């Protein structure tokens, strides 16, 4: 079974023609989230710590709507426009997970991101028992 998940009421309007997540069997594939304000759809620019927190909060919104939590994440990919941000990302990112529930992870430096943000994170989530 495949289910396409989009948040209701134009919450976190997608930056393109794709859903917020796709459930395929026991796995949930969460589309990369930017530092987008959930109500306005505008990218929250500014300090990288603010952007990372907004991205993580947006991921939580998508997971909650899909009936999942960050503790079910098995893989995260972090895209950042400047690898000098990695220290800040590494300070904030793990605070969103319970101890012992950090997923595997890849961090990738990129030239640019959609919406001109500086950080984007996508997830693979295991929703089975």
């Amino acid at each position: 079974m495949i289910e396409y998940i989009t948040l209701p009421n134009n919450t976190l309007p997608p930056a393109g023609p794709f859903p917020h997540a796709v459930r395929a069997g026991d796995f949930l594939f969460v589309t990369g989230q930017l530092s987008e304000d959930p109500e306005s759809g505008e990218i929250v620019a500014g300090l990288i710590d603010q952007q990372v927190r907004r991205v993580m909060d947006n991921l939580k919104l998508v997971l909650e709507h899909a009936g999942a939590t960050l503790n079910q994440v098995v893989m995260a990919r972090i895209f950042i426009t400047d690898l000098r941000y990695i220290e800040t990302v590494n300070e904030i990112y793990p605070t969103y997970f319970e101890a012992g529930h950090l997923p595997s992870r890849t961090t990738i430096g990129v030239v640019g991101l959609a919406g001109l943000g500086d950080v984007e994170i996508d997830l693979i989530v295991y929703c089975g028992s």
Side-chain angles (χ1 to χ4, degrees):
M1 175 181 92
I2 295 178
E3 175 188 6
Y4 300 91
I5 300 168
T6 300
L7 274 67
N9 304 321
N10 210 28
T11 302
L12 286 175
F18 41 79
H20 289 102
V22 174
R23 185 183 314 275
D26 288 338
F27 286 92
L28 181 69
F29 299 87
V30 179
T31 298
Q33 294 298 305
L34 296 160
S35 60
E36 178 182 354
D37 178 273
E39 294 177 13
S40 71
E42 297 294 319
I43 296 297
V44 176
L47 300 175
I48 191 66
D49 61 325
Q50 295 169 336
Q51 290 187 54
V52 173
R53 285 185 183 91
R54 182 72 265 156
V55 168
M56 294 303 294
D57 289 341
N58 288 350
L59 289 166
K60 282 176 56 177
L61 280 173
V62 174
L63 290 174
E64 287 169 6
H65 180 73
T69 70
L70 284 167
N71 291 327
Q72 295 170 272
V73 175
V74 295
M75 179 67 185
R77 291 187 305 176
I78 300 175
F79 303 88
I80 53 177
T81 58
D82 189 330
L83 288 172
R84 290 176 287 192
Y85 297 149
I86 194 70
E87 188 175 313
T88 302
V89 170
N90 285 340
E91 288 173 9
I92 297 167
Y93 170 84
T95 67
Y96 280 80
F97 298 89
E98 286 182 20
H101 288 274
L102 284 172
S104 62
R105 184 180 115 180
T106 301
T107 303
I108 306 154
V110 297
V111 174
L113 294 166
L116 304 177
D118 292 309
V119 61
E120 179 174 356
I121 302 175
D122 66 13
L123 305 173
I124 300 174
V125 182
Y126 181 66
C127 299
S129 49

